Amino acid sequence: MGKALIIGAGGVGNVVVHKCCQNPDVFEEILIASRTKSKCDAMKEKLDGGRTKIRTAQVNADNAREVAELINEFKPDVVINVALPYQDLAIMDACLETGVHYLDTANYEPPDTAKFEYKWQWAYRDRFREKGITAVLGCGFDPGVTGVFCAYAQKHYFDEIHFIDILDANAGDHGYPFATNFNPEINIREVTAKGRYYEEGQWKETDPLSVKKVYNFPRIGPKDIYLLYHEELESLAQNIRGIKRIRFWMTFSDNYLTHLRVLQNVGMTSIEPIIYEGKEIVPLQFLKAVLPDPASLGPRTKGKTNIGCIMQGIKDGKPVNYYVYNVCDHQEAYAEVGSQAISYTTGVPAMIGAMMIIKGIWKKPGVYNVEEFDPDPFMEELNKQGLPWHEEFQPTLLD
Ligand SMILES: NC(=O)c1ccc[n+]([C@@H]2O[C@H](COP(=O)([O-])OP(=O)(O)OC[C@H]3O[C@@H](n4cnc5c(N)ncnc54)[C@H](OP(=O)(O)O)[C@@H]3O)[C@@H](O)[C@H]2O)c1
């Protein structure tokens, strides 16, 4: 049926590749391209011989010209960007030049400012519309499935959703004193940024990790959760009818936070370049180099993740509460695709989003966030592709 160019061969890329190969009717051919070609070749070696044809290539995705050349040569229907957020704009430029649909899992961040905002990518709306191609932004789990969950709730259960709390719990244990579950640079930039949430038309800021609650998660139990800013809040605050407040919460263990505080206090999480032995280095990038590679956590991580959305609103004038979530087991994910649940919960939705584009179900010219598409076919695929979801209509609410 179609061809996908997958850019990025890290933890998430590995899951996308496996999942495309599990759906050969949709993904007849894939090209895995990344900075380090040997990682793409290793994936091909593992999965070659099935019905999905696999090719590999080296690419520097910071260079739009190089990406465009690769697209012109391979002629994919869609580019799945699972490299880093810094490459988003160059890859979007290449898609515009070549007229190919685009999908990513994380919004653009300028490498020298730790700030996520959709403005850079939303600025491509007119150009994508004029070119007749679709960009689907933020199609991992969060952002991604969390937006689809909200769209599904809006479509089926609510006239207006007033309050949304997105809860992201990772009860996995990898046995290291300190490691991050995905790219450490991106992860630490996210966690050390100021918290922010939307309330009554305004954005409110909190000091990093200063707002804490405890939530008793289904299948995981009680966990400390901290208020963070997360990129889907920006688009959901615009796209959900009647929204009064939307917040994002993530679990962290005391051990993780103690290590992070020390690293922050000694300056290791800074993105300001320093000179070391005559060479310019960025402390956070150096820290990434000494921390365990997230891809190496797969075989050692035990436990589950639980990510979902608690919503409160009204339907036919009556109050409605609703909680929808997925529970993913690290070891089951590893047994299936060789990556832990964080990569799994990101890569599966990226594949489903690309499937929606190739099948022509999610196709409208322009640049869109996931909640702007029909959620039903995506929700159906989540159940089929390894991320089943559960609903509760009398959930415990956060105050
Ligand atoms: N929405 C969500 O739920 C969610 C959750 C987790 C992660 N994410 C996002 O998913 C993406 C991938 O995460 P990950 O954990 O897989 O990261 P990762 O393991 O660090 O993998 C990133 C891959 O991109 C490649 N890359 C980096 N710069 C490149 C460039 N200039 N040109 C070509 N390739 C380049 C890397 O190449 P090398 O192998 O040479 O380093 C690596 O293969 C990130 O954007 C992350 O923010 C989203």
Side-chain angles (χ1 to χ4, degrees):
M1 185 181 265
K3 286 161 76 165
L5 165 58
I6 299 160
I7 303 184
V12 177
N14 175 56
V15 178
V16 173
V17 168
H18 272 80
K19 285 290 173 179
C20 287
C21 291
Q22 287 179 14
N23 290 276
D25 290 339
V26 179
F27 299 93
E28 284 170 341
E29 194 171 356
I30 56 172
L31 170 59
I32 317 165
S34 192
R35 185 165 55 189
T36 311
K37 184 167 176 284
S38 56
K39 291 194 188 171
C40 310
D41 292 336
M43 290 178 192
K44 176 178 159 74
E45 204 169 297
K46 224 163 145 191
L47 288 159
D48 231 3
R51 281 173 52 215
T52 301
K53 278 199 220 110
I54 306 175
R55 288 166 56 180
T56 62
Q58 199 277 332
V59 73
N60 172 11
D62 290 319
N63 183 334
R65 190 86 284 287
E66 259 188 51
V67 179
E69 275 166 22
L70 203 59
I71 294 175
N72 280 331
E73 194 239 320
F74 181 60
K75 302 206 178 335
D77 300 282
V78 58
V79 175
I80 306 175
N81 168 15
V82 281
L84 298 180
Y86 316 128
Q87 281 82 53
D88 289 3
L89 301 188
I91 299 176
M92 287 177 84
D93 285 333
C95 286
L96 263 180
E97 189 186 321
T98 53
V100 169
H101 304 301
Y102 169 89
L103 177 141
D104 67 28
T105 66
N107 71 9
Y108 175 70
E109 274 182 68
D112 52 356
T113 345
K115 193 167 174 59
F116 355 85
E117 259 184 285
Y118 277 115
K119 70 171 182 212
W120 291 284
Q121 293 183 278
W122 284 345
Y124 282 71
R125 279 171 174 159
D126 288 346
R127 281 172 286 162
F128 268 67
R129 198 176 302 125
E130 281 156 19
K131 192 82 184 181
I133 51 173
T134 305
V136 178
L137 305 184
C139 197
F141 206 102
D142 46 344
V145 176
T146 49
V148 175
F149 281 169
C150 291
Y152 184 78
Q154 177 165 261
K155 180 171 173 180
H156 297 284
Y157 300 126
F158 292 92
D159 292 328
E160 285 186 2
I161 303 178
H162 295 156
F163 303 108
I164 302 176
D165 282 299
I166 301 172
L167 271 65
D168 177 331
N170 180 9
D173 181 8
H174 45 61
Y176 284 119
F178 184 80
T180 62
N181 290 297
F182 67 98
N183 186 287
E185 193 185 332
I186 307 294
N187 184 220
I188 290 173
R189 278 164 67 120
E190 174 176 282
V191 175
T192 54
K194 283 211 172 214
R196 210 147 73 96
Y197 64 100
Y198 176 88
E199 189 166 45
E200 302 292 359
Q202 286 186 347
W203 289 99
K204 302 196 171 164
E205 267 199 0
T206 57
D207 283 334
L209 305 171
S210 61
V211 183
K212 174 186 170 185
K213 292 181 190 291
V214 177
Y215 193 78
N216 193 0
F217 286 88
R219 314 259 310 268
I220 281 185
K223 293 274 164 219
D224 292 342
I225 54 172
Y226 293 83
L227 188 137
L228 285 191
Y229 181 64
H230 222 242
E231 59 198 61
E232 65 264 54
L233 300 185
E234 186 183 6
S235 67
L236 288 168
Q238 294 190 14
N239 292 328
I240 297 300
R241 271 192 317 269
I243 192 78
K244 294 182 178 174
R245 187 185 67 204
I246 176 161
R247 303 180 294 191
F248 184 95
W249 304 85
M250 196 177 266
T251 58
F252 296 105
S253 67
D254 284 344
N255 177 53
Y256 178 94
L257 292 178
T258 305
H259 278 80
L260 189 64
R261 250 174 235 130
V262 173
L263 292 167
Q264 241 179 323
N265 288 343
V266 299
M268 280 307 300
T269 59
S270 168
I271 58 170
E272 289 298 321
I274 56 155
I275 303 295
Y276 176 71
E277 293 189 343
K279 194 174 180 303
E280 193 179 273
I281 62 163
V282 174
L284 182 55
Q285 286 171 1
F286 178 74
L287 176 62
K288 172 180 187 255
V290 297
L291 286 177
D293 177 356
S296 71
L297 303 180
R300 356 178 354 131
T301 307
K302 299 190 172 88
K304 296 182 193 321
T305 61
N306 177 329
I307 316 175
C309 305
I310 300 176
M311 299 171 227
Q312 295 167 260
I314 49 165
K315 176 85 178 170
D316 301 326
K318 295 195 186 87
V320 175
N321 296 337
Y322 177 62
Y323 183 18
V324 53
Y325 61 88
N326 161 263
V327 174
C328 186
D329 186 280
H330 286 286
Q331 285 179 300
E332 283 171 20
Y334 188 76
E336 183 190 327
V337 299
S339 287
Q340 31 80 350
I342 306 296
S343 302
Y344 190 88
T345 53
T346 310
V348 172
M351 180 281 292
I352 296 175
M355 173 189 270
M356 294 292 116
I357 291 175
I358 289 178
K359 285 185 166 177
I361 301 171
W362 278 16
K363 215 181 238 178
K364 45 185 180 182
V367 174
Y368 298 97
N369 294 86
V370 290
E371 65 273 14
E372 295 175 90
F373 295 95
D374 182 5
D376 293 359
F378 194 104
M379 291 289 275
E380 247 175 63
E381 286 299 329
L382 284 172
N383 282 333
K384 289 187 202 154
Q385 305 288 346
L387 293 177
W389 40 276
H390 311 275
E391 300 180 302
E392 283 184 18
F393 291 88
Q394 287 178 323
T396 309
L397 303 173
L398 288 177
D399 53 19

